[in-house]
Amino acid sequence: QTQNNLSNTIERADDLTATNQTMIEESLENCIAFDDDADVETRVRILPPDQFKQTQELEAECEEFISKTSQFNDLVKVVVKKLEDVSKCVEVEKMKAIGQRNRLESEEEDRERQRVGHEHIIREKRVMLERYQTQYASLKRVEACQIKELDMLQNQ
C-alpha cells in the first residue's frame, strides 16, 4: 500500500509537472517571437510583434521629443543670452542718462549760484554808483560854491 501511495504521488507530481510545462509553453508562445528579417540575423524577442512595434514607435517618438526639447533648450539659451546682452546695454545707457541728468542738475545749480553772485555784484555796484553819484553831486556843489567865491573875489 505504501508503494501504491508512492506511485499515486509520483503520478500526481508528473501530472502537475506536465500541466506546469503546458502552461509555461503557452505563456512562452504568447511572449516570445522571432525576427526573420533578411537584413537582420534571427533574434528572439520576449514581446509579441505588435507590442514590440509599439515599443519601437514609442522609442522613436521619445527620441524625437528629446531632440525637439534639446533644440528648444538651445533656443532658450540663445534668447536668454540676447536678453542678457540687451539688459547690459540698457544698464549702460541708463547709467549714461543718470550721469547726464546729474550733470544737468549740477549745471543748473552752478548757473543759479552764478546768477545769485552776479546779482550780488550788481547790487554792490549800484550802491557804489549811488555813492559816487552822491559824491559827484557834492563835489559839484562844492565846485559851484568855490567858483562863486572866486567870481566874487575877482569882482571885488
Side-chain angles (χ1 to χ4, degrees), residues 62-76:
C62 288
E63 287 174 2
E64 182 181 348
F65 176 77
I66 289 170
S67 172
K68 287 182 179 180
T69 304
S70 177
Q71 289 173 355
F72 178 74
N73 191 27
D74 293 342
L75 287 174
V76 167

Side-chain angles (χ1 to χ4, degrees), residues 138-156:
S138 172
L139 289 174
K140 279 290 205 180
R141 282 190 302 258
V142 168
E143 180 186 23
C145 284
Q146 287 176 351
I147 289 177
K148 215 181 205 184
E149 283 182 18
L150 264 172
D151 280 342
M152 282 186 359
L153 288 172
Q154 284 178 355
N155 287 336
Q156 278 184 356

Side-chain angles (χ1 to χ4, degrees), residues 28-85:
L28 286 177
E29 283 176 14
N30 291 333
C31 293
I32 296 179
F34 296 94
D35 280 342
D36 290 327
D37 292 341
D39 342 338
V40 181
E41 297 178 18
T42 303
R43 294 184 183 176
V44 177
R45 303 261 183 229
I46 295 177
L47 293 174
D50 59 333
Q51 286 181 351
F52 181 71
K53 184 177 178 184
Q54 288 176 350
T55 303
Q56 285 180 323
E57 290 171 359
L58 181 61
E59 181 181 16
E61 287 178 21
C62 288
E63 287 174 2
E64 182 181 348
F65 176 77
I66 289 170
S67 172
K68 287 182 179 180
T69 304
S70 177
Q71 289 173 355
F72 178 74
N73 191 27
D74 293 342
L75 287 174
V76 167
K77 286 179 182 177
V78 167
V79 168
V80 166
K81 176 72 173 125
K82 294 287 183 186
L83 288 175
E84 287 173 353
D85 293 345

